[in-house]
């Protein structure tokens, strides 16, 4: 029996389902039951019939799934797979902003720890942030942790006053304007599709800015045959699967989230077999962090 067959057998035996983000390695995307961006995966997680969720992604994703489904078992193939940006905000600053600004909403990108979510009014993902911020009654928005996504949302919702936090994604921050210019010279007809975690200079050169699912949907619908992709290289698999005749270019220093790449078939098999790496969230933390997540799911409908 090969490892894929072993995983399929274990899944049936343990009543488990595999969720995967587009940034994980192709062989993981191939065996996943559901694959998508952070928003899609958080929606899917609340409607699953299986008792065990194996989450092929980083810790904030598994943690969110557990918070939304406290009665389910959420297993992480690699418990050390984490998102650096998820820690780039702090309770003290949130408290300070609440004291400084009246009529303030603390808007928390889902790429954050549960400890940050519990201090926030609503969560967002890159797929729904503009819609949700527009729908909030508050004038002032303190957006944590990502400054790049915050600036992008602010540009789309000029009627609100934004207060920025200095968090960023180390992978997207590395994508540089000069590299895109070089790619544009090589492929002048290509459209530039960009994740909003990229720096403003890159966003300014883009034909489309959106979540990983947004980028994939744009490429599939477009009449254009070539694209310069400004996000993590894991999306290449789905882009090429859906569009075998189109061409996708990444910057020379291809963006890689090494934490997402920690997930392997062997680790999935082992976690299914032995039940290790279970996400644990205390009742108190769960109660306080579920509200902003549920508010997100409601407002994004
Ligand atoms: P998406 O919300 O587009 O899935 O992005 C998540 C992420 O981690 C981007 O770096
Ligand atoms: Fe976090 Fe960046 Fe990796 Fe996304 S790509 S999980 S934001 S470190």
């Amino acid at each position: 029996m090969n490892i894929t067959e072993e995983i399929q057998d274990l899944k049936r035996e343990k009543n488990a389902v595999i969720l995967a983000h587009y940034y994980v390695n192709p062989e993981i995307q191939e065996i996943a039951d559901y694959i998508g961006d952070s928003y899609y995966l958080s929606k899917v997680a609340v409607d699953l019939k299986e008792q065990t969720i194996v989450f092929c992604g980083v810790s904030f994703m598994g943690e969110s799934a557990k918070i939304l489904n406290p009665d389910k078992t959420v297993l992480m193939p690699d418990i050390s797979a984490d998102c650096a940006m998820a820690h780039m905000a702090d309770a003290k600053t949130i408290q300070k902003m609440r004291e400084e600004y009246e009529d303030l909403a603390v808007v928390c990108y889902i790429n954050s720890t549960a400890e940050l979510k519990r201090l926030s009014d609503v969560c967002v993902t890159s797929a729904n942030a503009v819609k949700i911020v527009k729908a909030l009654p508050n004038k002032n928005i303190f957006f944590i942790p990502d400054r790049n996504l915050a600036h992008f949302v602010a540009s789309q919702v000029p009627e609100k006053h934004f207060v920025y936090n200095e968090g960023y994604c180390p992978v997207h921050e590395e994508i540089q304007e000069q590299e895109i210019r070089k790619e544009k010279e090589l492929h002048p007809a290509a459209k530039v599709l960009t994740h909003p975690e990229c720096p403003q200079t890159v966003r300014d050169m883009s034909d489309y800015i959106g979540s990983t699912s947004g980028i994939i949907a744009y490429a599939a619908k477009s009449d254009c045959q070539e694209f310069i992709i400004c996000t993590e290289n894991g999306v290449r698999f789905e882009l090429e699967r859906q569009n075998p005749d189109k061409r996708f270019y990444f910057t020379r220093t291809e963006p890689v989230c090494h934490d997402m790449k920690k997930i392997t078939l062997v680790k999935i098999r082992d976690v299914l077999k032995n039940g290790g790496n279970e996400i644990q969230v205390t009742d108190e933390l769960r109660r306080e962090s579920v509200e902003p997540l549920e508010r997100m799911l409601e407002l994004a409908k």
Side-chain angles (χ1 to χ4, degrees):
M1 202 177 348
N2 67 29
I3 189 145
T4 307
E5 290 163 348
E6 241 186 295
I7 289 172
Q8 298 305 347
D9 274 9
L10 281 162
K11 249 177 37 185
R12 272 189 294 275
E13 190 189 310
K14 309 277 178 171
N15 188 22
V17 61
I18 299 179
L19 270 55
H21 190 269
Y22 286 125
Y23 292 166
V24 298
N25 280 316
E27 65 274 19
I28 313 293
Q29 298 192 38
E30 258 171 346
I31 57 121
D33 297 295
Y34 298 91
I35 160 153
D37 68 0
S38 315
Y39 175 46
Y40 172 79
L41 294 173
S42 66
K43 269 192 309 183
V44 159
V46 291
D47 290 325
L48 296 168
K49 58 181 190 325
E50 291 84 356
Q51 180 50 36
T52 296
I53 300 171
V54 177
F55 213 120
C56 301
V58 289
S59 46
F60 77 82
M61 296 178 173
E63 200 175 53
S64 299
K66 178 67 184 177
I67 291 165
L68 288 164
N69 303 278
D71 298 332
K72 302 227 170 186
T73 304
V74 180
L75 304 176
M76 302 301 286
D78 189 319
I79 203 81
S80 74
D82 197 3
C83 167
M85 180 164 62
H87 306 268
M88 293 187 192
D90 64 89
K92 246 190 183 163
T93 314
I94 295 173
Q95 184 55 34
K96 186 170 161 271
M97 294 307 168
R98 288 205 187 276
E99 284 160 17
E100 213 165 295
Y101 291 92
E102 274 181 18
D103 195 19
L104 179 84
V106 178
V107 176
C108 184
Y109 191 21
I110 197 165
N111 296 39
S112 56
T113 61
E115 290 293 343
L116 290 171
K117 288 185 176 82
R118 87 192 307 178
L119 302 171
S120 305
D121 297 299
V122 65
C123 285
V124 297
T125 76
S126 55
N128 58 35
V130 171
K131 183 175 182 184
I132 289 176
V133 170
K134 266 189 187 156
L136 292 175
N138 315 76
K139 171 79 185 145
N140 296 311
I141 307 293
F142 181 40
F143 196 106
I144 59 165
D146 187 17
R147 60 168 182 237
N148 289 327
L149 178 61
H151 279 278
F152 170 67
V153 177
S155 72
Q156 305 296 302
V157 194
E159 65 274 23
K160 306 266 179 191
H161 174 253
F162 274 69
V163 184
Y164 301 97
N165 176 75
E166 279 309 303
Y168 63 92
C169 161
V171 179
H172 288 82
E173 189 79 0
E174 282 292 297
I175 302 177
Q176 297 297 322
E177 176 201 358
Q178 301 89 296
E179 285 199 282
I180 315 296
R181 274 193 210 294
K182 268 191 208 148
E183 291 302 318
K184 265 298 228 188
E185 275 167 29
L186 293 170
H187 317 287
K191 285 207 186 298
V192 181
L193 314 186
T194 295
H195 196 281
E197 288 176 16
C198 289
Q200 175 150 11
T201 46
V202 174
R203 296 198 309 275
D204 286 349
M205 304 175 62
S206 303
D207 297 289
Y208 172 79
I209 301 168
S211 74
T212 47
S213 293
I215 289 172
I216 292 164
Y218 185 99
K221 262 194 247 139
S222 172
D223 292 334
C224 187
Q225 294 301 303
E226 301 181 289
F227 303 88
I228 297 164
I229 304 296
C230 304
T231 191
E232 210 270 354
N233 74 354
V235 298
R236 184 194 282 283
F237 178 70
E238 185 64 16
L239 285 167
E240 290 181 347
R241 198 187 64 75
Q242 287 191 22
N243 312 280
D245 299 329
K246 296 185 178 177
R247 293 268 159 279
F248 299 99
Y249 310 109
F250 287 74
T251 46
R252 200 58 52 85
T253 44
E254 237 180 76
V256 178
C257 179
H258 293 287
D259 280 83
M260 289 281 190
K261 305 304 193 217
K262 285 180 178 173
I263 319 294
T264 64
L265 290 175
V266 170
K267 289 177 189 173
I268 294 173
R269 193 251 341 253
D270 289 351
V271 92
L272 272 167
K273 212 175 190 170
N274 309 320
N277 296 350
E278 186 178 344
I279 296 267
Q280 306 281 2
V281 180
T282 64
D283 284 349
E284 193 191 355
L285 182 56
R286 194 248 154 204
R287 259 198 322 277
E288 291 175 7
S289 54
V290 75
E291 273 180 37
L293 278 169
E294 285 180 342
R295 199 171 175 206
M296 170 186 85
L297 294 177
E298 191 52 39
L299 286 173
K301 267 182 194 163

